[in-house]
Amino acid sequence: MRWSELLCDDRIRSYRTKSKNDLRTEFEKDYHRIIQSASFRRLQDKTQVFPLDQSDFIRTRLTHSLEVSSYGKSLGQNIARKIIEEIRDPEFAPSYAMDICDILQCAGLLHDIGNPPFGHFGETVIRDWFRKNLPGLMYESEQGMKPVTELLNEQMIQDFYHFEGNTQALRVVTKLHYLVDEHGMNLTKALLGTIIKYPVSSLEIDKNSGNIRTKKMGYYYADRETFEDIQESLGMHGSRHPLAYVLEAADDIAYLTADIEDAFKKGCISFTDLVRELKIAGENLPADDDYHALLQRLIDKYDKGVAKGEAQPEAYAVQNWIIQVQGRLISGATQGFTEHYREIMDGTYTKELIAGTPAQHIAETLGDIAYRYAFVSKPILKLEIAADQILNFLLDQFVPAVLYYRTPREEETLRAAGKKPACRQTAVQEKMTALISENYKIIYEKYSEGKSEGEKLYLRLLLVTDTICGMTDSYAKRLYQELNGLV
């Protein structure tokens, strides 16, 4: 891969505005489009770890995304300097340093923009609903009653079985965020390539391949042409964009440290618990391993807090120590990119950037601690049970409602031809469909035109996942309550 292609600033809907008063690069214009969008603002009411939390300290998807954006830019600065001063790749122009920082800053803001309500658990609920219900869903066509799965091709089916917020992000920014037309935010192709963490379809997922690029799907069947356009324009040929590795590292750094800090603030883990867990995790490491020095800094921070007369020396220690851990992880990710530069540029690198660096053990340890003390804590489990009820109810209502949805144009065509549809929506289903965003319906009408009945059905099912992913936690909860007469 070549940087001159990877940093392509073309857009899917091509245009160039020339103004002597606008000195922004195309990537800087992307930044302004993102932060001014409703899709980005909705992240302020979407779960990071603790669903529907009332605290003003605990992170949301918005604050998490801002942190990822910040770490992404920092990593971009480090890596660009390494490429220029140490690797000395002649194809990496000095001006590219600013470009990759701008792209990573934007990518950090976007990386979770497709996530449904209630965090990663929301993704699990959606996948489970379709795996349980799609095989038994029936559809009455002109040829009679048939299982929906007989009308969909295998990739369409697997798209729902492997639903991902990462995949939805591409759909949001290229279609659903109806700014001017059906091209969504119409962002640069370099940025779009960066946010596609897994450049494979739902049919190509292979969690056991040993290659991180096949861990999850990166695009829906409905967005395959967009994906192929991006790949061709950037000269990626099925590989990951080099900056996708950096974005992933920035995301890991943000959540690995934030989850510990948030769990501590919520009382899920104490300072004593944290120190004990860190000591246990380091028992088999050599005495001179830097991990031990990092652990000692946490203890020293506590002693310093006591000496300074801090009211909460434990909180003082954890918050200050987390900053040092972030620095260590940034250093590790920079080292990983530098050491594997050629493999990354050749599209043959298969792991995360932190893998195999001195930062790997602390990263794995923090992830394990956060899972055991936060993700399976009773408060989260209770809220996830509630989230399961909310999302299952919404899917139960919306999916049957859209099966026989027709656009005004389709209805007019049927009337003009004197045809009577095999089946129509019920009055309640029409009301449910009326709750779906008009912008989403416009996108459905645009991309379903001229398609087969099976593909139209697939796009109507996507209309449901689009709708639910566009909801905030509070909106989903409130809609559930309203439809059940609880308010």
Side-chain angles (χ1 to χ4, degrees), residues 392-451:
N392 269 286
F393 172 79
L394 294 177
L395 286 162
D396 286 343
Q397 301 305 310
F398 276 114
V399 170
V402 303
L403 287 183
Y404 301 105
Y405 167 69
R406 292 179 181 83
T407 66
R409 183 180 298 179
E410 288 174 326
E411 290 285 4
E412 184 179 340
T413 301
L414 283 172
R415 283 196 299 270
K419 292 184 179 179
K420 186 177 181 181
C423 193
R424 285 190 174 275
Q425 291 178 303
T426 66
V428 172
Q429 289 172 345
E430 287 181 357
K431 296 179 190 302
M432 286 299 302
T433 308
L435 297 177
I436 295 174
S437 165
E438 289 302 318
N439 284 348
Y440 294 173
K441 292 176 186 175
I442 291 171
I443 294 301
Y444 167 77
E445 182 170 2
K446 168 67 180 178
Y447 288 99
S448 65
E449 189 173 354
K451 297 294 193 298

Side-chain angles (χ1 to χ4, degrees), residues 17 53 193 295 303:
T17 56
D53 193 85
L295 168 57
D303 292 339

Side-chain angles (χ1 to χ4, degrees), residues 1-16 25-28 30 91 95-96 99-100 102-103 186-194 228-236 241-243:
M1 292 180 283
R2 301 166 62 92
W3 285 109
S4 57
E5 293 178 308
L6 291 167
L7 301 182
C8 171
D9 63 1
D10 290 343
R11 303 174 189 275
I12 292 175
R13 175 172 54 77
S14 182
Y15 84 102
R16 294 282 177 173
T25 67
E26 293 302 313
F27 304 126
E28 289 172 325
D30 281 346
E91 294 188 359
S95 62
Y96 293 167
D99 289 340
I100 68 171
D102 289 339
I103 291 168
N186 198 34
L187 302 171
T188 57
K189 293 181 182 180
L191 175 54
L192 296 176
T194 299
E228 289 164 2
D229 183 0
I230 294 166
Q231 284 272 311
E232 182 178 353
S233 297
L234 303 183
M236 290 164 61
H241 195 294
L243 297 185

Side-chain angles (χ1 to χ4, degrees), residues 19 29 35 45 56 68 89 95 114 155 169-170 256 300 314 333 339 360 412 419 439 469:
S19 171
K29 292 175 184 176
I35 63 171
D45 189 18
D56 59 2
V68 174
D89 183 345
S95 62
Q155 186 176 343
L170 179 66
L256 284 171
D300 292 344
E314 295 91 348
E339 291 180 349
Q360 179 177 349
E412 184 179 340
K419 292 184 179 179
N439 284 348
C469 287

Side-chain angles (χ1 to χ4, degrees), residues 285-297 328 358-359 362:
L285 295 177
D288 61 348
D289 193 287
D290 195 49
Y291 176 92
H292 299 296
L294 192 60
L295 168 57
Q296 187 59 46
R297 288 193 183 95
R328 183 59 48 84
I362 186 63

